């Protein structure tokens, strides 16, 4: 019980710390754009490369992968999902090095903005509608569900699943609505640092638990 309490306190402290650091960095360390749309959707073009890199990494990772994909791989013993995520890193590098610089140079902040410039407003509207419907009906509910399921099981919460998922969605919405892309990118980067540290620590702790490398063979 004491261990569970420590885990919950650590999680809450990390979440609050990321929120405070995100606010400090966005408000005091980053310049603001005079263009409101540019500030909200493109981060005021003040995002450093490492913030963009961290945000790209966390954008490609959610409970869909951390809970759903890992669970499927563990259950079926098939590593096809791992290959999917491994090669996704290549696509992210190409996006960051090739496409993003060209988008920003052209004054574009979204894929639909590019389609609108390349084709017409009708194409942009259709693609935007498809994206919105897909995220609202397909992706976001699955991510909120798996996230809530993970939180409920990890912390042994005696709280309805809908309440946990609603809380997660509300916190995420606060970042996006009140902070725009800048807040989302900075918080992603900070959480990425934590994920990297824990990701490196877990195999080390596991090896220590089984008695070192000799325990594997």
């Amino acid at each position: 019980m004491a261990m569970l309490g420590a885990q919950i306190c650590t999680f809450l402290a990390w979440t609050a710390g990321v929120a405070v650091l995100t606010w400090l960095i966005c408000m005091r360390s980053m310049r603001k754009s005079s263009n409101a749309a540019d500030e909200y959707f493109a981060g005021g073009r003040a995002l450093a490369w490492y913030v963009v890199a961290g945000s790209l990494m966390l954008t490609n990772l959610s409970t869909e992968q951390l809970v759903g994909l890992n669970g499927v791989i563990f259950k079926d013993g098939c590593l096809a999902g791992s290959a999917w995520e491994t090669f996704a890193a290549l696509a992210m590098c190409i996006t960051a090095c090739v496409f993003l610089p060209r988008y920003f140079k052209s004054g574009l902040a979204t894929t639909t903005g590019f389609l609108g410039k390349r084709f017409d407003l009708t194409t942009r509207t259709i693609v935007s509608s498809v994206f919105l419907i897909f995220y609202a009906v397909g992706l976001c509910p699955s991510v909120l569900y798996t996230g809530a399921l993970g939180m409920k099981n990890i912390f042994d919460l005696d709280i309805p699943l809908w309440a946990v998922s609603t809380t997660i969605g509300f916190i995420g919405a606060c970042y996006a609505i009140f902070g725009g892309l800048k807040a989302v990118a900075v918080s992603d980067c900070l959480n990425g640092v934590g994920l990297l540290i824990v990701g490196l620590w877990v195999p080390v702790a596991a090896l220590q638990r089984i008695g070192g490398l000799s325990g594997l063979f």
Side-chain angles (χ1 to χ4, degrees):
M1 192 65 182
M3 179 63 71
L4 180 60
Q7 290 175 345
I8 293 175
C9 290
T10 301
F11 171 76
L12 293 176
W14 176 266
T15 304
V18 168
V20 172
L21 277 175
T22 299
W23 182 81
L24 290 174
I25 293 172
C26 291
M27 294 296 104
R28 300 189 178 185
S29 302
M30 290 186 169
R31 69 179 187 274
K32 286 188 175 183
S33 173
S34 57
N35 187 318
D38 199 42
E39 174 70 20
Y40 193 81
F41 292 106
R45 305 188 185 277
L47 300 176
W49 67 266
Y50 48 85
V51 176
V52 175
S55 182
L56 276 173
M57 182 179 71
L58 264 292
T59 298
N60 194 54
L61 286 176
S62 68
T63 53
E64 181 187 7
Q65 286 81 31
L66 296 176
V67 177
L69 186 60
N70 286 339
V72 170
I73 292 172
F74 180 79
K75 180 181 178 181
D76 298 340
C78 178
L79 296 179
S82 298
W84 169 270
E85 290 301 318
T86 300
F87 287 106
L90 177 61
M92 290 167 61
C93 290
I94 294 174
T95 299
C97 296
V98 179
F99 294 108
L100 281 181
R102 296 189 178 189
Y103 281 171
F104 283 137
K105 187 176 181 180
S106 301
L108 299 170
T110 62
T111 303
T112 52
F114 166 76
L115 293 175
K117 184 175 181 179
R118 174 65 177 81
F119 298 103
D120 52 30
L121 181 61
T122 301
T123 303
R124 176 176 180 171
T125 303
I126 292 173
V127 174
S128 296
S129 300
V130 171
F131 281 176
L132 285 173
I133 293 171
F134 169 70
Y135 274 90
V137 178
L139 184 62
C140 286
S142 65
V143 169
L144 290 173
Y145 170 75
T146 51
L149 195 63
M151 295 280 290
K152 189 175 172 66
N153 290 330
I154 290 172
F155 298 118
D156 195 23
L157 300 175
D158 188 21
I159 301 174
L161 199 62
W162 68 265
V164 181
S165 61
T166 301
T167 303
I168 294 173
F170 176 76
I171 294 173
C174 286
Y175 277 102
I177 294 172
F178 297 110
L181 178 65
K182 190 180 292 184
V184 173
V186 172
S187 62
D188 276 350
C189 187
L190 294 174
N191 282 316
V193 172
L195 183 65
L196 183 61
I197 293 172
V198 173
L200 293 173
W201 173 77
V202 165
V204 174
L207 285 173
Q208 290 178 342
R209 186 75 175 178
I210 64 175
L213 289 173
S214 58
L216 292 175
F217 307 100

